[in-house]
Structure formats: structure tokens, C-alpha cells
Amino acid sequence: MSTAPHSRQPPPRRVVLATANPGKAREITALLGDAWEVLLQSELGVTPAEETGSSFMANALLKARHAAAVTGLPAIADDSGLEVDALGGAPGVWSARYAGPAATDAENVARLLRELAAVDGARRAARFRCVVAFVRDADDPEPVLAEGTWEGRITRSPRGKAGFGYDPVFEDPTDGLTAAELPPALKNARSHRGQACRRLAECLGVLHGCGPAG
């Protein structure tokens, strides 16, 4: 008696995620889906790379190459931040360290709101920007890069308990909710990081049940 052949899904491909931010890790892992086995660099004893780049792309590549060099695994890294028009694009690449090298999210938000205290209306326009980088190894000559941008405005005070970073003061114009008031699935559908990760996944061929890139 013969049985009909059946197709097997390829096993998940292992990749190290070069971030120490648990909020980013949750979002990126959810966005990449089941085709990847995502290992956090902290689980593999990787000390985070110093972010010395002058752009989101430079920092994303720096972090990905560092994690790949230490672990010998393919690596994914994100670099992202907030750009506020009235501040000339600040805090930008300094978003996580805006109030100092060891600043908390609350301290960064407090500084931002102080600097925008006299700014009204359309001048409070801002955007989150994200670049995600994938490298096959530390010396990969053709890294895969994907970018996403989320337009919005800065509120006068924090609202919402979800998310992290500047989410409580970043208002999405679609429905007037801050990123911290959005359910996680809806935030991922709209956000800069969601856009970038979906584009990366498309480039790597892992969406909609496709096997991982070879």
C-alpha cells in the first residue's frame, strides 16, 4: 500500500537579532514569522556594538556585521529613531540617547517635550524612520537593506501604556491615537519597523509560507 507523497516545510533558518531592546525584539520576531528561528544576541553572549554611524543605515549595518562576526550566524539589525521637523530632524540617530548615554525612555520623552513646549500645530510634525539590515556573514558584500517611514506628530503629553521609546507622544494622523495606544498588531501594520521588516522579508522570500532564502 502506497501513500501519497507530502511536501515538508524547510526548517526555520537561524539568525541572530542584534538588539538589546526587548520592545524591538518582540516586534521584529513577530514580523519575520515562523520561517526564521530568531536568537537574541544577548542569548549568545554578544556585547552590543557601539553605534558610531552617522545614519540609520550605517548603524544597522555596523550592528549586524558585529553580531555576525561574533556568532558566525547570519544577522539582522535595526536602527531607527524619531525625526522632528521643528528640531531640524533631531533626535534622529541619537533618539535612544537623547537625554544622555544611559537615558530612560521617560527621560528622552521629557527632554523632547521640553524642547517643543513653544512649538504649535503643524510644526510638531515628525516621523519615525527605520532601516533593517540583513547580512549572511560579517563580510557580506551584498547586505539586504530595507527602510520604512511612519509620519505623524508629537503630542503635548504622553498617552497610552503600550509600546516603548517615543510611542506615547507620537500621534498617528489616521485615527488620532498615539503609537502607545494602538494594539500591537495594528501598530505593526502601520509602523516604520513593520514596513521595513515586511520589505526585508519580501526580499528574503519568507512571506506567506515561503521557505527561507538560500
Side-chain angles (χ1 to χ4, degrees):
M1 180 177 175
S2 63
T3 58
H6 62 277
S7 62
R8 289 186 176 181
Q9 289 291 332
R13 184 174 176 183
R14 302 180 80 201
V15 62
V16 58
L17 182 57
T19 183
N21 185 313
K24 285 186 179 184
R26 285 192 300 271
E27 291 185 1
I28 293 173
T29 299
L31 287 159
L32 287 176
D34 296 335
W36 295 91
E37 179 189 358
V38 179
L39 305 172
L40 301 186
Q41 64 178 10
S42 58
E43 298 172 338
L44 301 175
V46 180
T47 302
E50 187 177 356
E51 298 179 31
T52 57
S54 60
S55 68
F56 296 125
M57 182 181 296
N59 279 331
L61 277 171
L62 186 156
K63 291 187 284 186
R65 292 191 188 281
H66 172 74
V70 175
T71 64
L73 291 171
I76 291 175
D78 137 287
D79 199 56
S80 53
L82 181 70
E83 299 174 341
V84 181
D85 289 352
L87 300 178
V93 295
W94 295 97
S95 292
R97 309 179 294 281
Y98 198 41
T104 64
D105 288 350
E107 289 168 342
N108 287 328
V109 167
R111 178 182 175 184
L112 179 70
L113 293 180
R114 285 196 304 271
E115 294 189 348
L116 293 176
V119 176
D120 294 317
R123 295 182 59 227
R124 296 179 76 88
R127 67 208 48 81
F128 277 129
R129 194 179 301 278
C130 173
V131 175
V132 178
F134 170 84
V135 295
R136 297 159 188 84
D137 55 57
D139 300 314
D140 189 347
E142 297 182 345
V144 181
L145 299 166
E147 185 172 353
T149 303
W150 190 9
E151 297 287 342
R153 64 179 294 277
I154 304 302
T155 61
R156 286 272 172 195
S157 59
R159 303 198 315 261
K161 301 297 183 181
F164 59 95
Y166 297 93
D167 285 357
V169 294
F170 182 84
E171 184 179 275
D172 186 324
T174 305
D175 47 25
L177 297 177
T178 68
E181 293 175 309
L182 293 173
L186 185 53
K187 180 190 175 186
N188 284 345
R190 296 179 182 178
S191 77
H192 54 310
R193 188 168 296 108
Q195 295 172 40
C197 285
R198 283 189 292 275
R199 288 168 183 158
L200 179 70
E202 289 168 359
C203 291
L204 299 178
V206 300
L207 282 185
H208 307 302
C210 298

